[in-house]
Structure formats: structure tokens, C-alpha cells
Amino acid sequence: MKISTLQENLKTGVYIVSHIAGKNVNLPILSNVLIKASKDGINLITTDLEMGIISKIRGKVETEGKYTVNAKVLSDYVSLLPNQKINLEKKDNILTVCSENYKTSIKGQEAEDYPLIPKIDKNIYFKLNIEEFKKALSQVIFSVSISDTRIELTGVLFSFSKNGLTLASTDSFRLSEKKVKVTTNIETEDEIKVVIPSKTLQEVIRILSTIREGEINRDENEIVFYISENQVLFTVKDTELISKLIDGQYPDYTQIIPLENKTVAIINKKEFVRAIKASSIFSKSGVNDVNLDFPLGKNKIIISSTSSLTGENITELDAKVDGDDNGVVVNYKYLLDGLNNIEGDSVRMEIVNNNTPCILKSEKDDNYLYLIMPIKQ
Amino acid sequence: MKISTLQENLKTGVYIVSHIAGKNVNLPILSNVLIKASKDGINLITTDLEMGIISKIRGKVETEGKYTVNAKVLSDYVSLLPNQKINLEKKDNILTVCSENYKTSIKGQEAEDYPLIPKIDKNIYFKLNIEEFKKALSQVIFSVSISDTRIELTGVLFSFSKNGLTLASTDSFRLSEKKVKVTTNIETEDEIKVVIPSKTLQEVIRILSTIREGEINRDENEIVFYISENQVLFTVKDTELISKLIDGQYPDYTQIIPLENKTVAIINKKEFVRAIKASSIFSKSGVNDVNLDFPLGKNKIIISSTSSLTGENITELDAKVDGDDNGVVVNYKYLLDGLNNIEGDSVRMEIVNNNTPCILKSEKDDNYLYLIMPIKQ
């Protein structure tokens, strides 16, 4: 194998694939990146056996071949080099990496020992705008469960249909739901539901973040999903990520979303965040409770907390409040998470009573909903 | 006690003093800040028994008195409030903190239980420009010893005289020395040598960093040191920090600085840092060795390393080299630390031989010297 490329191309490609190359005691070669040079060009490949990433980079193939070297060593080294032409060549059991003043030999392992990346049928596709998808994903991924007791809750539910995509996640304490537009080649009204591991989605977010806006022209501003029974393939620009799906029945979360409410408040988001943080200092450790009160006809909300250790706090905020006299106690961390993902200057809060989930919505974006289970007193 | 002040004043004052208020199992009150309101104004006070900080804040004293509350709770809470007038009042065993919409009660402890901050004789003073002192301190503090086996090496040696101040530190692997100008009231040529704990100096750096440049007028751009036998007092603006000194004989470090050299190289600093980092990837783990070679008459230096695990690297850099054919092996971390503190685009490196310390200097600043012990082969 003998190839040449620009430092910038190699650096970006190695950066994209090397993150999932980790230490695996049983299979040390998984800490390597597979460099594959063929008539089709230069591909950099990694896998952690749950997912695989393939990044095609621009460059010249002088002699075809393939080889693997430690991903971190290659990534650390290449990122330091000046942006010049780099020659890479396999010689016996080393890869030589040479540019103008820098000469390096990296020890490696034969490509034959590297696991194969599975293929996927490309029968069904869904296309999404990259920026919209990135934002939607960030609005739901934070509320996946971190506990393995219900494995399906550790992923995000993707419900695809020809009418759109609904993303949802819940850790059973709070729930996020977001709807986005898609284009697709399926024609029936049927929904396709898959649960994608949050680790895979975090990798997708990371890859999308490395693609600078300037690099995307109008034809390339889409991420494409291919769905099969057990796997999902994301393709964006010159990068492909293929991942296993989570095998498990996702609960019908729509059942817990209240259909009606008794009290609706429109609150300045910045002031609300500040008041919640102030109250959080005096909430009970481990419980993280803050009280929200909506006194009848006063157009204000009262945020309060009391701790036997530190003291107590009461904050009054002006707000537009309609409906019944009401109150609810919630975990301030979940409340702040939700507010952090609500767009615009104000937030709409809907309360039924102190035993029923309350809902946060944006006044600007009707496609996003955040729900918090109350702390029962 | 009943006082009022602006949020901004209280926030800055509490921020300055609260950092050293930590958890002390034997003396829980040390996690508190002492608020003292008297005819002299409002003082915020903390101590960790090794040092004490006093910050005077602007405000109105309605009723004199003193009280202590948890420093972290007060700091977290006050930093969230809007910049409005805040009223603080002691009532029984709580401190009420009220501004327009925010009402808080913080539980506290009586001031009588708080340790006294010692006083110091103000007979001998030294004044330094704040910016010069901050920079000088940052250039030496990183090379203090982190091991307690020789307690005197965990501090920075301050050698004061009427001609100036010399700061020095060494962990016995490398050494930093910096000279700065002072004004003083002592008249003899005698040197006053004290060793100040690095923890104290880090606190001084932190305090100096909170003082924004805009806040300092021409008369206030000095930090003043008062030295006594066992203690040092720093005063800057409205803040005082008093600290114990380290009791121990600092070694005569000047003995290990070579008086002559055989080879001098002037090297582009940015390129040198890049080449060292590239070589560091292939240096022996734990040893961190990189080889520096200065071949005779070639006007270049060769940076190289070899690891049995990862591979090897050779980088050639153009440089202005005078003197003998020479070479030295050093720890790349120490070399990078030094380069990080050398001012200007190029660095002057002085080598005797591969068994003698080598020296880094700035071409711009004759008052700074950095020395590295070689790794003997």
C-alpha cells in the first residue's frame, strides 16, 4: 500500500473514525484504524463491534493495499503536522508517514485480522436536513435512561413514516418528543419504529459537528438513513456510520401525556432559569425538589424550596397565568434540562394538578414537547 | 447586623474569599464566611488556618454586628441574583438575604466561634506592579515540587532586596528563575529570603485575576508585600491575604546553573513545540524522553524518539546553531513547560553536554531562565 494525501484530509478523516476505536482487552486490534486503498479511493475504517464508521478521504493511490495502525497514535501525530502533502506507505510491519521535515514509522497489524463491517440493504431511505436533525437530536438525547434495567429506554425511539419522523426518549422521570420533516421512498402510511442506541447517536452528533457549514453545498445538506430489521446506516458527505438497533419493545409513551390542563403559564425563560437555580441551592439533597405555585388571579408564579441544612428561598416571578389556582413540585434538574431545550424567550407551562405530569412547550416551536413527572408530596 | 450593598459588590467579595473556605471535618465553621459590619465598613473574611483572606466591600452599615454563613451557599446564591440592591440582616440563627423579588434565609453560626486571623507587623514592605508580578509568578509557580518529601521545594523562593526581587522554584528535575523590579522601604543591601507556599501563591493569582484591568487606576496598580518572620501579607485594592511561610532551608540552586556552554541554538518556538509534541507520541512511557541533536555546522536541530510499542519519529528543524557538535536527552513535558513560559517567537537553548543541565532563555527577556536536568543515557 502506498498513498498520498493532504494533512488536512487525513486529519479530518482520522478524527471522524478514531473516536470509537477503544481499548478492547479481548480484541486489541479494535484500537486500530483500518486504512484501505483501492481503485475506489482511500477509506478509513473503525468499529467497536456495535457500530462501524467508514470515512472516504481524498488522495492519490499509488499502490493498492490495506493495513491497520493504532488510531490514537495516528490521530495525535497527524493533527500536529503542518498542512502539507503526506506520504503513507506500508513496509513489512510498519507504516511510514512522511512529510517535508517529519519522518515517522508507526508499528501496525495486518488488515486481515480486522473485523468486517456488516453491509445493509439500502431499500428504505429517509432524508433529513442536517441542521434540523442535529437540533432535534440534541433536544431528545439528554433524557434517555442511563440505567440498563430497561435496555430499550437507553435509546431514542425513531418513528418514521412518509409524513415525518418523531423522535422520543424517556428515562421514566421525564420525556422529550420532537417531530421533524423527512423525505422518503416509502409510500404506505405505515410507521417504521426503531430504537437507536444513544451511544450511536452521540457519535452521529460528533460526526455532524466536524462537518463545517462551509463545506456543505446545497446538494449535500442532508443526512440519509437506511433502515433494515436489525441495523441502521447513516450517510453524510463522505462518511458512513452503521449501527445495531436496540432489540426491545418501546413503551407507548403517548399514554402518559395529559390531553387537558387546568392551568397555563407563559414565563420569561431567563428569569425562570435564574429563579430555579436560586431555589435549587435550598432544595433537599438527592430529592432536588422545587415548589412551583400558581396563585389564582395574581399573574405570578412563586418558586420556593426549604432545606433543613442550608435554609430557604422564595422567589416571585411575573408571568401570564390562566386557569385554576395550582401547584406542582418537580426535580429542578429535570426542569432546567427542559428549559435548556425550549426555544425562544418564553416558555409555556401546562399543569393539571400536583399528581399529574406537567408539560413545557416553546411558544415558537409546536413540534417539541417536554414532560416532567411530579414529585408527589 | 443589618447591611445593604449592590449584588455586584457582594458577588465579587464573596467570590474572592470563598475559594479557601473548605470542608474541615474537625472545624466545620471553616466552610463559612465571616461577615463583619462595623464603623470601618463591611468585611468578608475566610481562613483555612494556613492563610486568611479579608475583602472589604462597599455598602451601607445600618446596624453593626457579625455573623457567619456557608461560603458556598452564599456565593452560589448571590452570583445568581440580578444586579440590584441586596439587604442582609441577622435574625436569631439565620441571615436573611433579600432583593426585589428574591427572599432567602440562610442558616448560619455565631461569629464568636470563627478563628481569628493573625495580624502582622507592617515594618517592611515591597511594592510590585500587578501585571509584572502576575506574569513573573506564572513563570515560576509551575515548577514547584508536588512531593512533600522536601517541604521547602513545595513553595517559591522569594529573595527580596532593595535592588529587586528574584523568584525561583525547582522540583529537582527543572528550575525556573525570574527577576522583577520592586520598590521598598529597606535601605541595606541585605537579602530577605522567604519561601511562600504554592497554594498561597495560587490563591494570590486567582485574586489578581478577579481584579479587572478597568477597575485599577494608576495609583492602585501595585501589590504590596509585608514580610515578617513567619508570615507574609499581600494587599491589593480592597483585599488582604495573610499566609504562613514555609519553615525550611531552601537549597542554593544557583550552584547547578552552568556558567559556560558549548553549543547555543536559536530556534523558532512554534516549530520547536510542534516537533517536540510529534516526537512525544513515540517517547518511552514514564520516561518521556526526546533526543535533541545539534550536528556540527548544519544549522539544524534533530528531534527524535523511539518506542518499542508505537514506533519512531525523526524531525529536522532549521535553527541558528553555534558551537560544538552536541546532543542531550530531556523529558519532553519539562521542555514544553519551559517553552510555554518563554516570551517571543524564538528561544535560545544553551547546552554543555549530555550530562549537564541545559538552559532555555527568551531572546527578549533577560530576566527569565529555565533549566532542565538531562536524562542520562
Side-chain angles (χ1 to χ4, degrees), chain B residues 1-264:
Chain B
M1 183 185 74
K2 194 172 173 186
I3 56 178
S4 63
T5 175
L6 278 176
Q7 181 264 356
E8 201 177 328
N9 298 341
L10 185 57
K11 178 182 153 185
T12 305
V14 175
Y15 178 80
I16 286 173
V17 300
S18 64
H19 191 252
I20 64 164
K23 282 189 177 162
N24 187 306
V25 183
N26 299 320
L27 207 52
I29 203 169
L30 289 184
S31 60
N32 287 7
V33 53
L34 169 62
I35 306 167
K36 207 169 170 178
S38 67
K39 270 170 288 183
D40 296 340
I42 306 167
N43 280 308
L44 305 175
I45 300 163
T46 55
T47 178
D48 65 0
L49 303 182
E50 295 291 320
M51 62 182 131
I53 307 179
I54 303 171
S55 181
K56 187 190 272 298
I57 60 168
R58 264 177 277 178
K60 195 177 155 196
V61 177
E62 289 186 40
T63 318
E64 294 182 24
K66 51 190 179 174
Y67 198 50
T68 83
V69 291
N70 185 280
K72 189 175 180 330
V73 169
L74 185 66
S75 175
D76 286 353
Y77 181 65
V78 169
S79 68
L80 284 165
L81 295 180
N83 189 14
Q84 296 170 341
K85 190 183 159 193
I86 300 181
N87 297 303
L88 296 103
E89 188 175 357
K90 176 182 179 325
K91 287 180 182 167
D92 299 326
N93 67 338
I94 58 163
L95 179 75
T96 62
V97 184
C98 296
S99 63
E100 200 180 332
N101 296 313
Y102 292 76
K103 287 180 184 47
T104 280
S105 308
I106 304 178
K107 297 196 178 184
Q109 286 171 273
E110 294 300 333
E112 284 65 29
D113 300 330
Y114 202 83
L116 287 176
I117 308 291
K119 299 272 178 198
I120 186 172
D121 284 339
K122 292 190 173 179
N123 298 331
I124 301 171
Y125 73 75
F126 297 91
K127 291 184 184 175
L128 285 86
N129 175 282
I130 287 180
E131 288 307 315
E132 280 179 33
F133 178 63
K134 250 169 81 173
K135 205 184 105 197
L137 201 48
S138 72
Q139 284 181 303
V140 299
I141 198 167
F142 69 95
S143 57
V144 299
S145 175
I146 50 170
S147 152
D148 280 345
T149 49
R150 288 182 68 187
I151 193 74
E152 65 278 11
L153 297 188
T154 63
V156 173
L157 175 67
F158 282 63
S159 307
F160 289 99
S161 80
K162 71 173 203 181
N163 304 315
L165 162 65
T166 302
L167 305 168
S169 78
T170 179
D171 58 8
S172 77
F173 302 109
R174 67 296 190 31
L175 178 148
S176 316
E177 186 199 61
K178 172 81 177 186
K179 293 184 166 73
V180 277
K181 282 177 289 187
V182 292
T183 54
T184 176
N185 63 341
I186 62 165
E187 286 171 2
T188 66
E189 294 282 340
D190 296 347
E191 271 197 327
I192 300 177
K193 289 177 189 264
V194 294
V195 185
I196 303 180
S198 107
K199 197 183 162 199
T200 298
L201 295 168
Q202 262 146 4
E203 212 54 46
V204 171
I205 290 175
R206 208 183 56 84
I207 291 169
L208 293 177
S209 303
T210 64
I211 300 169
R212 279 167 292 176
E213 283 180 34
E215 287 181 358
I216 300 175
N217 62 43
R218 213 179 276 180
D219 301 330
E220 283 183 320
N221 68 348
E222 283 183 328
I223 179 168
V224 187
F225 286 64
Y226 298 93
I227 311 281
S228 78
E229 202 179 336
N230 307 312
Q231 293 182 119
V232 58
L233 169 68
F234 300 82
T235 71
V236 55
K237 262 194 102 198
D238 297 324
T239 301
E240 297 193 349
L241 186 150
I242 188 163
S243 168
K244 290 184 182 169
L245 295 170
I246 293 179
D247 190 17
Q249 184 68 34
Y250 207 84
D252 180 10
Y253 68 86
T254 56
Q255 287 185 340
I256 66 158
I257 302 174
L259 298 174
E260 291 182 343
N261 59 62
K262 297 289 182 189
T263 311
V264 175

Side-chain angles (χ1 to χ4, degrees), chain B residues 252-293:
Chain B
D252 180 10
Y253 68 86
T254 56
Q255 287 185 340
I256 66 158
I257 302 174
L259 298 174
E260 291 182 343
N261 59 62
K262 297 289 182 189
T263 311
V264 175
I266 311 292
I267 313 158
N268 178 289
K269 207 174 70 179
K270 201 174 143 192
E271 290 296 319
F272 199 19
V273 167
R274 189 207 292 267
I276 294 159
K277 286 184 177 172
S279 260
S280 75
I281 298 170
F282 304 92
S283 75
K284 289 176 204 73
S285 170
V287 183
N288 300 330
D289 55 327
V290 293
N291 303 281
L292 307 176
D293 284 299

Side-chain angles (χ1 to χ4, degrees), chain A residues 10-255:
Chain A
L10 185 58
K11 178 181 154 187
T12 306
V14 175
Y15 177 79
I16 285 173
V17 300
S18 64
H19 190 253
I20 64 164
K23 281 188 181 165
N24 186 306
V25 183
N26 300 319
L27 206 54
I29 203 170
L30 290 183
S31 61
N32 286 8
V33 53
L34 169 60
I35 306 167
K36 206 168 168 178
S38 68
K39 272 170 286 182
D40 297 339
I42 306 167
N43 280 307
L44 305 174
I45 300 163
T46 55
T47 179
D48 66 1
L49 302 183
E50 295 291 320
M51 64 182 128
I53 306 178
I54 303 172
S55 181
K56 188 191 272 302
I57 61 169
R58 263 177 277 180
K60 195 176 154 195
V61 177
E62 288 187 42
T63 317
E64 294 181 23
K66 50 190 179 175
Y67 197 51
T68 82
V69 291
N70 186 280
K72 188 175 182 327
V73 169
L74 186 66
S75 175
D76 287 354
Y77 181 64
V78 170
S79 68
L80 284 165
L81 294 179
N83 189 13
Q84 295 171 341
K85 190 182 157 192
I86 301 180
N87 297 302
L88 296 104
E89 188 175 356
K90 175 184 181 322
K91 287 179 181 169
D92 299 326
N93 67 339
I94 58 162
L95 179 76
T96 62
V97 184
C98 296
S99 63
E100 201 181 330
N101 295 314
Y102 291 76
K103 288 179 185 49
T104 280
S105 308
I106 304 177
K107 297 196 178 184
Q109 286 170 274
E110 294 301 333
E112 285 66 28
D113 300 330
Y114 201 81
L116 288 177
I117 307 293
K119 298 275 177 196
I120 187 171
D121 284 339
K122 292 192 174 178
N123 298 331
I124 301 172
Y125 73 75
F126 297 92
K127 290 184 183 174
L128 285 88
N129 174 282
I130 288 179
E131 288 308 316
E132 282 179 29
F133 178 63
K134 249 168 81 173
K135 203 185 105 198
L137 202 49
S138 73
Q139 285 181 303
V140 298
I141 199 167
F142 69 94
S143 57
V144 299
S145 173
I146 51 169
S147 152
D148 280 344
T149 49
R150 288 182 67 186
I151 193 76
E152 65 278 9
L153 297 187
T154 62
V156 173
L157 175 67
F158 282 64
S159 307
F160 289 101
S161 79
K162 72 175 204 182
N163 304 316
L165 163 64
T166 303
L167 304 168
S169 78
T170 179
D171 58 6
S172 76
F173 301 110
R174 69 281 187 48
L175 177 146
S176 316
E177 186 198 61
K178 172 82 178 185
K179 293 184 167 73
V180 278
K181 282 177 288 187
V182 292
T183 53
T184 176
N185 63 342
I186 64 165
E187 286 171 0
T188 66
E189 294 282 339
D190 296 349
E191 271 197 327
I192 300 176
K193 288 178 189 264
V194 294
V195 185
I196 303 180
S198 103
K199 196 181 163 201
T200 298
L201 295 169
Q202 263 147 5
E203 212 54 45
V204 171
I205 289 174
R206 208 184 56 84
I207 290 170
L208 292 178
S209 304
T210 64
I211 299 170
R212 279 166 292 177
E213 283 180 34
E215 286 180 359
I216 300 176
N217 61 46
R218 214 179 275 183
D219 302 329
E220 282 181 322
N221 67 349
E222 284 184 326
I223 178 167
V224 187
F225 287 64
Y226 298 94
I227 311 281
S228 79
E229 204 179 335
N230 306 311
Q231 294 182 117
V232 57
L233 170 68
F234 301 82
T235 70
V236 54
K237 260 193 103 201
D238 298 324
T239 302
E240 298 193 347
L241 184 150
I242 188 163
S243 167
K244 290 184 183 169
L245 295 170
I246 293 179
D247 191 16
Q249 184 68 34
Y250 206 84
D252 180 10
Y253 67 85
T254 56
Q255 289 185 339

Side-chain angles (χ1 to χ4, degrees), chain B residues 342-357:
Chain B
I342 298 284
E343 281 194 280
D345 294 334
S346 59
V347 56
R348 176 187 169 92
M349 188 159 189
E350 301 179 358
I351 297 100
V352 182
N353 59 46
N354 61 5
N355 285 312
T356 309

